[in-house]
Amino acid sequence: MRGALKKVQPVLAYAAAHLDEDVSLAALAGQAGLSAYHLHRAFAAVMGETPKQLTQRLRLDRAATILLLRDDSVLDVALDCGFQSHEVFCRAFLKRFGMSPSAYRERGFITDVDPQQRRHHAAIVNRVGPCVGLFHMSESENSERNEMSYSITKKELTPQPVLVVRKTVKRSEIAAAIGEVLPRVFQYAQQNGIAFAGPPLVRYIQVGPGMMTIEPGMPVAGSAGSGAGDIVAETIPGGTVATTIHTGPYEKLPEAYAAIEQWMHAEGLKGTGVPWESYLTDPGDYPDPKDWKTEVFWPLAR
């Protein structure tokens, strides 16, 4: 999978940076030096969507943030995001967000969001959106031990509202579950005017020898309502946590958790509550798994 990601990553980066230009399959294939057929197949295999589906999704996500941050006319937003007409843009927007661009702007965020939080939300949409389905991608080409040392520190955290989906899965199904859930949570928050407050995360509710209960999701600013369906609003409690940065493939993350556990034992501390991890780098920006950074948190008992 690592080799395939490296092949399509330049195309992903180019498309995300040139949404107001020609990002047709032919244009992207030309940028990659591949045939349109080869690029289409390789891209869909890695991303889970075709280049056309990706660019349409990113254009609409960009339009949604512009509608919330600026006063541009709907037509100007459409043109700025690469749509050729007001009508085509409005139909596509309605399909993705369940309301017209004008209604989306009029509703705005569902909670009070200051200008800094609005800009932070837009930055997360732009950074996370292109690769929201890639987090926790399996990197099977290199299974040796990480051999990295971990620096463990303590932090005081404030309570953090999140939108999550709870899943009970086999260990071998973790990556697929996260890849399925995060795009849905990402879209749900945007549809419902909920501002993002940080990068994607996964909480580990229960860990057993055969099955694990996990909660992939997104931190959000302010109240997230009650959710809908299997997407629920929760709050990660504040308090003291032990934390470290893991650098490398996601499947090596258990080594970071083990390092924290050993550190707690040596310090005479006890873990409590639910540990979680937050993805600091995006696979779309860093195709080599050795560059992926993940922050791991473990609440400490008082």
Side-chain angles (χ1 to χ4, degrees):
M1 184 60 77
R2 178 178 63 181
L5 177 59
K6 282 188 173 181
K7 183 181 295 185
V8 305
Q9 189 271 341
V11 178
L12 174 62
Y14 179 85
H18 296 83
L19 292 173
D20 57 343
E21 301 176 19
D22 181 9
V23 286
S24 64
L25 178 60
L28 294 177
Q31 285 288 330
L34 301 171
S35 71
Y37 171 77
H38 188 186
L39 174 62
H40 186 279
R41 194 167 76 167
F43 197 92
V46 173
M47 300 298 298
E49 58 188 338
T50 67
K52 181 177 180 179
Q53 289 169 332
L54 173 97
T55 54
Q56 175 96 323
R57 175 171 64 80
L58 296 185
R59 281 172 164 167
L60 290 169
D61 286 353
R62 176 178 173 180
T65 60
I66 292 175
L67 288 167
L68 294 176
L69 267 65
R70 305 202 313 239
D71 295 326
D72 307 39
S73 69
V74 172
L75 176 58
D76 285 342
V77 172
L79 297 176
D80 187 39
C81 294
F83 289 90
Q84 299 304 307
S85 75
H86 179 275
E87 293 73 17
V88 170
F89 169 62
C90 288
R91 284 198 301 269
F93 195 95
L94 177 63
K95 183 177 180 180
R96 177 158 177 80
F97 295 107
M99 64 182 69
S100 70
S102 297
Y104 188 87
R105 166 179 276 163
E106 184 177 355
R107 184 204 58 196
F109 291 106
I110 62 170
T111 58
D112 289 335
V113 178
D114 63 37
Q116 182 177 355
Q117 290 174 316
R118 289 170 183 261
R119 291 191 295 270
H120 188 47
H121 166 82
I124 292 171
V125 171
N126 291 334
R127 182 172 68 86
V128 175
C131 54
V132 69
L134 296 182
F135 293 97
H136 230 290
M137 175 183 288
S138 176
E139 200 284 289
S140 59
E141 297 177 30
N142 185 7
S143 59
E144 69 267 17
R145 187 173 176 81
N146 241 17
E147 299 298 342
M148 71 171 288
S149 59
Y150 292 94
S151 174
I152 317 296
T153 59
K154 288 197 292 185
K155 283 185 180 180
E156 291 293 327
L157 301 182
T158 58
Q160 175 60 61
V162 293
L163 282 172
V164 297
V165 172
R166 181 170 292 194
K167 290 270 191 180
T168 299
V169 297
K170 300 176 183 176
R171 288 178 179 268
S172 60
E173 298 170 342
I174 291 176
I178 295 173
E180 184 270 330
V181 166
L182 286 180
R184 289 201 290 119
V185 173
F186 195 78
Q187 181 176 356
Y188 173 84
Q190 291 180 283
Q191 285 177 328
N192 290 275
I194 300 168
F196 296 122
L201 56 81
V202 175
R203 303 177 74 204
Y204 291 88
I205 306 300
Q206 187 172 14
V207 178
M211 304 291 288
M212 302 182 71
T213 300
I214 62 174
E215 285 186 346
M218 294 289 299
V220 298
S223 171
S226 58
D230 60 351
I231 299 176
V232 298
E234 295 185 356
T235 298
I236 297 177
T240 308
V241 299
T243 182
T244 191
I245 302 293
H246 168 80
T247 302
Y250 297 136
E251 61 262 35
K252 307 297 184 184
L253 276 164
E255 297 174 17
Y257 287 95
I260 292 179
E261 196 168 19
Q262 292 162 9
W263 177 85
M264 289 191 295
H265 177 77
E267 295 291 319
L269 301 170
K270 291 185 178 180
T272 185
V274 176
W276 74 94
E277 60 201 40
S278 176
Y279 304 116
L280 304 181
T281 55
D282 303 319
D285 293 331
Y286 299 88
D288 194 330
K290 70 178 178 59
D291 298 323
W292 296 349
K293 294 186 183 296
T294 309
E295 189 165 11
V296 176
F297 303 87
W298 200 317
L300 296 173
R302 293 186 180 277

